[in-house]
Amino acid sequence: MAFLRSLYIHNIFFRYIALLSACFVISYWVPTLYPIAWLLVFLLMALFFLDLYFLYATPNAIKAHRNLPQKLSNSDQNILSVHLNSKYPFKAEVSIIDELPVQFQKRDFEHKTQLQKGEPHYFEYSVRPVERGEYVFGNLIVFASSPLRIIKRKFVFQKDQMVPVYPSIIQMQQYDFLATSNRLTEFGLKKIRRIGHTQEFEQIKEYIKGDDVRTINWKATAKKNQLMVNQYQDERSQPIYSIIDTGRVMKMPFNGLSLLDYAINSALAFSNVALKRNDKTGLLTFSKKIETFVPAVQKLTHLNTIMESLYNISTTFSDSDFGLLYAHVKRKVNQRSLLLLYTNFEHMSGLQRQLPYILAMAKKHVLVVIFFENTELESLIAEDTEDLQAIYHKTIAEKFSLEKRLMQKELQKYGIQTILTKPEELTVNTINKYLEIKARGII
């Protein structure tokens, strides 16, 4: 039974059958072709058994394994690799099918190549998950055929490998350099305009490209005969909390990823930067109830606690209770802190309902309200209108877009820091705002 389950007919074989059938049909009018057609049938049968011998005479002829990382990074292109080796004495043609997890909804994965005897071969491919959780990879299937290409032998490896998908680890590592630098221009994203700095002197160091020329120490420069600058450090060990609204307003998807997962990825990358800058970081998630509360701690190992908490966030996307959030912050967060509130408002009325609680939190803490532009509407606004209905749609889209900016102005009117951002620019804008607040000494 194992032999039959591994035996498959090659597509080329059906071409041979079609050719033989044509010979028999033509022999009706050309009788001399009839015996030749039978000779070709016997030849094909002989080649069939010869191909069986070629493919099954060598035990464990193909070895293959899939390399998976311990964790996949949500919303990023994760590189996976497959390694193969052949013991066949001939150049084997192989077709590799990897049974990807059901979350990817991809059923046409196939990679074709040729394997020489004893020569290792590998190839890479990428996957982009858009949900956190457990992803189970099925069988790694290899179909091998000889140069005769009459039959194929099936090999099966590595059934049911599970790998968890965590918040964007790749994004966190990408912005890790911000722990020691206030520049994002190296990634070509957005230049931070450093408004000022605290006057706590740290050291004198050599000037490098990008340093603020206003900090040049001319006396040290004259002594060393090269440009030297004063380096200052921001005040350290300040408590900073990422507060994530897991309610209904965070369910909207952009590029396959929900606003909630954009916020989770940003919170992880930001927490890493803040810890590297010696600040205390914590986490709070809420909707109808307080779902997660991680007190702010200044330890690099604390990042693992935050990562696991973010990985385990689950929600029914119900309406969020900002009154409960305010009560919990008042009770649990006693020291003046920087609060980064990831939420979303689509209408001014939605903001007005929550504004009393937002203002109450802002009285004691430095509150940054982060909400999102609707990039689908921005695309609609940018389109040319061709008929009356398109004009109506564009007008309504402009109204909603304007309302977003009015909500930002409303919050700023009360002295509340705000970030109105595209979902894909959330992380860089959040880190920029943090560095700006630190540079201005607001907290």
Side-chain angles (χ1 to χ4, degrees):
M1 289 299 293
F3 166 74
L4 292 177
R5 284 197 295 267
S6 68
L7 178 61
Y8 285 76
I9 302 300
H10 200 289
N11 291 339
I12 299 296
F13 179 79
F14 296 103
R15 297 183 187 178
Y16 297 152
I17 294 295
L19 180 62
L20 289 175
S21 301
C23 289
F24 278 106
V25 171
I26 296 172
S27 69
Y28 179 80
W29 295 281
V30 185
T32 55
L33 190 59
Y34 185 74
I36 296 175
W38 275 108
L39 284 174
L40 291 175
V41 169
F42 291 124
L43 177 62
L44 182 60
M45 292 177 61
L47 290 175
F48 179 87
F49 288 106
L50 182 61
D51 209 10
L52 275 177
Y53 173 77
F54 283 162
L55 290 176
Y56 285 88
T58 306
N60 300 319
I62 299 289
K63 294 289 186 183
H65 68 276
R66 175 202 305 119
N67 280 343
L68 294 178
Q70 291 185 346
K71 300 171 183 175
L72 293 180
S73 179
N74 194 20
S75 77
D76 296 312
Q77 293 293 343
N78 297 262
I79 305 299
L80 312 181
S81 64
V82 174
H83 295 250
L84 303 106
N85 203 304
S86 171
K87 294 182 181 178
Y88 282 126
F90 51 81
K91 181 187 291 186
E93 293 188 358
V94 295
S95 174
I96 302 101
I97 297 174
D98 199 353
E99 295 181 343
L100 300 179
V102 65
Q103 291 94 330
F104 293 120
Q105 290 296 299
K106 184 176 176 62
R107 296 293 177 267
D108 58 351
F109 181 97
E110 185 178 19
H111 178 82
K112 294 183 178 180
T113 188
Q114 294 181 333
L115 299 179
Q116 297 280 7
K117 180 182 179 181
E119 291 185 6
H121 174 83
Y122 86 99
F123 68 93
E124 295 179 339
Y125 66 95
S126 64
V127 293
R128 181 181 181 264
V130 293
E131 299 176 13
R132 287 165 291 113
E134 295 182 350
Y135 283 52
V136 178
F137 287 76
N139 295 324
L140 178 62
I141 302 172
V142 179
F143 292 97
S145 58
S146 74
L148 294 177
R149 296 193 290 178
I150 295 176
I151 63 171
K152 297 188 289 187
R153 182 179 176 185
K154 178 183 177 182
F155 299 86
V156 180
F157 305 95
Q158 290 182 300
K159 181 176 174 59
D160 294 341
Q161 278 186 294
M162 192 281 289
V163 59
V165 173
Y166 271 70
S168 182
I169 301 169
I170 293 176
Q171 191 179 95
M172 178 190 74
Q173 294 169 343
Q174 186 180 33
Y175 295 111
D176 185 59
F177 79 99
L178 287 173
T180 55
S181 170
N182 283 343
R183 297 181 301 276
L184 290 176
T185 50
E186 293 173 36
F187 279 123
L189 296 173
K190 177 183 174 185
K191 185 176 180 180
I192 298 175
R193 177 173 168 268
R194 192 169 178 86
I195 298 173
H197 52 69
T198 58
Q199 297 302 308
E200 186 177 348
F201 177 79
E202 184 178 12
Q203 64 175 343
I204 299 174
K205 68 181 187 70
E206 293 181 9
Y207 174 85
I208 58 175
K209 186 177 179 181
D211 283 337
D212 190 346
V213 295
R214 293 172 298 178
T215 63
I216 294 176
N217 187 316
W218 294 108
K219 289 185 178 180
T221 297
K223 289 180 180 179
K224 293 285 188 178
N225 200 26
Q226 60 179 339
L227 282 176
M228 306 294 290
V229 294
N230 294 332
Q231 185 173 15
Y232 300 88
Q233 64 180 6
D234 298 320
E235 188 179 346
R236 300 180 177 184
S237 300
Q238 296 168 311
I240 299 169
Y241 284 88
S242 297
I243 303 176
I244 302 176
D245 181 353
T246 62
R248 176 176 52 83
V249 295
M250 299 292 280
K251 190 175 184 178
M252 191 179 298
F254 291 92
N255 294 326
L257 201 67
S258 69
L259 294 181
L260 175 61
D261 278 301
Y262 277 111
I264 287 171
N265 290 344
S266 174
L268 179 62
F270 164 75
S271 297
N272 180 52
V273 170
L275 283 170
K276 291 292 181 66
R277 294 177 68 88
N278 299 302
D279 279 326
K280 301 175 183 177
T281 59
L283 175 69
L284 194 159
T285 66
F286 76 103
S287 58
K288 292 182 71 174
K289 61 180 182 179
I290 302 299
E291 297 166 349
T292 306
F293 180 68
V294 179
V297 174
Q298 184 191 347
K299 291 181 181 177
L300 288 178
T301 54
H302 186 57
L303 187 65
N304 292 328
T305 304
I306 293 175
M307 184 186 298
E308 291 296 333
S309 298
L310 291 171
Y311 170 73
N312 289 311
I313 289 177
S314 60
T315 175
T316 57
F317 291 107
S318 54
D319 288 326
S320 299
D321 188 344
F322 276 71
L324 180 65
L325 170 65
Y326 165 67
H328 188 84
V329 169
K330 184 177 180 181
R331 186 171 65 253
K332 295 292 186 178
V333 185
N334 300 317
Q335 185 179 351
R336 178 177 168 83
S337 307
L338 173 61
L339 308 180
L340 300 176
L341 174 59
Y342 297 88
T343 186
N344 197 35
F345 302 107
E346 287 298 328
H347 306 282
M348 181 64 78
S349 59
L351 173 62
Q352 294 292 349
R353 284 196 301 270
Q354 313 302 346
L355 192 57
Y357 306 112
I358 292 173
L359 293 176
M361 285 188 289
K363 284 182 180 179
K364 183 176 180 181
H365 305 282
V366 177
L367 178 63
V368 180
V369 177
I370 305 167
F371 58 111
F372 299 88
E373 295 178 14
N374 191 325
T375 52
E376 298 293 333
L377 291 181
E378 297 301 324
S379 300
L380 180 59
I381 293 170
E383 290 180 0
D384 294 329
T385 54
E386 298 178 354
D387 52 40
L388 187 60
Q389 187 178 20
I391 293 174
Y392 289 153
H393 290 165
K394 185 170 183 177
T395 302
I396 294 171
E398 289 175 341
K399 175 183 178 296
F400 281 117
S401 179
L402 174 62
E403 196 164 14
K404 287 279 188 178
R405 294 192 292 274
L406 290 176
M407 287 187 277
Q408 186 179 28
K409 294 290 186 183
E410 181 72 11
L411 289 167
Q412 290 173 343
K413 182 175 72 175
Y414 294 102
I416 297 173
Q417 300 282 332
T418 61
I419 301 175
L420 176 59
T421 179
K422 297 176 181 178
E424 59 271 18
E425 296 175 0
L426 172 63
T427 300
V428 65
N429 288 337
T430 302
I431 295 175
N432 268 315
K433 177 59 74 172
Y434 161 70
L435 295 174
E436 177 189 321
I437 288 173
K438 294 286 288 184
R440 293 172 60 184
I442 296 176
I443 183 173

